[in-house]
Amino acid sequence: MNSSEHTPKVPQSLDELITALTEGERTTFSHIIQSIKFKPNAFDKYSSWSNECYTRNCIINNENFELILICWCEGHATPIHDHGGEECWVKVIDGEFREVIYKENEEGELYAIKSTVSKPNEVTYMKDFMGFHSLENVSKQRSMSLHLYAKPIRECRAYDEKTKTFISRFLTYNTTV
């Protein structure tokens, strides 16, 4: 047996990605999401835009994972948030995003511990033990990111800047196909 027989096939399309995630184990998700390369038009039927806020567009949601396309206008940003205990991979499809990771001190105050900018085809990973994070489209254009959650996230905690506390948020989609 040669080594290529042990290497999972790299998905070449969104449909192949969904099949690979459906048939794969959670331990393979990182390799799968990092290996695939997309053209921005691969998401035409899933993209929707709002000048007010980024949009969350469901591609697939089952008991093992959730795949969401987030469409961002220039300057759109998430609040600081966690992931309800689940794993999260973010793959940049188009544009550039700044991710800031935060920790909470003994007094409940947040402080930034890391800031990075990701470009097309780069993937970031987040799980609650790592802290909280926020994402911002720092491109001078509309941008898209693909979010893989294992398992699906129904609720998270988001930081309220006014009250300086975390509030529970139920997550919804702008579109489902």
Side-chain angles (χ1 to χ4, degrees), residues 106-119:
E106 315 255 323
E107 291 78 42
E109 300 165 331
L110 293 181
Y111 59 98
I113 60 167
K114 182 179 175 186
S115 177
T116 55
V117 174
S118 298
K119 299 178 183 195

Side-chain angles (χ1 to χ4, degrees), residues 11-171:
Q12 299 298 312
S13 68
L14 186 55
D15 286 340
E16 287 183 15
L17 171 64
I18 291 168
T19 299
L21 292 171
T22 301
E23 295 174 354
E25 297 293 321
R26 189 175 184 149
T27 56
T28 65
F29 286 5
S30 184
H31 171 76
I32 292 168
I33 197 74
Q34 291 193 46
S35 63
I36 190 167
K37 305 279 188 267
F38 292 109
K39 294 182 175 129
N41 68 355
F43 297 95
D44 286 352
K45 83 177 199 180
Y46 298 100
S47 61
S48 73
W49 304 89
S50 168
N51 289 328
E52 306 306 312
C53 186
Y54 59 88
T55 61
R56 298 178 81 245
N57 306 284
C58 181
I59 296 172
I60 186 170
N61 176 351
N62 62 37
E63 63 189 24
N64 296 318
F65 69 91
E66 178 179 33
L67 198 58
I68 299 173
L69 178 71
I70 299 187
C71 298
W72 315 69
C73 290
E74 180 182 344
H76 283 172
T78 67
I80 300 166
H81 63 280
D82 69 9
H83 292 100
E86 303 302 340
E87 292 181 273
C88 170
W89 293 266
V90 177
K91 184 173 190 92
V92 177
I93 303 301
D94 191 28
E96 292 184 9
F97 295 89
R98 175 180 298 117
E99 177 185 42
V100 180
I101 298 176
Y102 300 85
K103 287 283 191 179
E104 192 173 12
N105 68 18
E106 315 255 323
E107 291 78 42
E109 300 165 331
L110 293 181
Y111 59 98
I113 60 167
K114 182 179 175 186
S115 177
T116 55
V117 174
S118 298
K119 299 178 183 195
N121 289 312
E122 294 181 346
V123 176
T124 64
Y125 174 80
M126 191 68 188
K127 191 159 180 177
D128 291 352
F129 76 85
M130 299 165 67
F132 305 91
H133 80 155
S134 64
L135 293 169
E136 178 184 6
N137 175 15
V138 293
S139 307
K140 301 292 183 204
Q141 65 183 38
R142 284 180 164 186
S143 300
M144 294 188 290
S145 55
L146 186 65
H147 298 243
L148 171 61
Y149 303 106
K151 300 192 174 202
I153 300 173
R154 306 290 179 236
E155 185 179 353
C156 74
R157 294 187 313 146
Y159 191 71
D160 183 313
E161 293 288 341
K162 291 178 188 163
T163 64
K164 304 289 186 210
T165 60
F166 281 96
I167 57 170
S168 197
R169 275 179 73 175
F170 290 97
L171 301 174

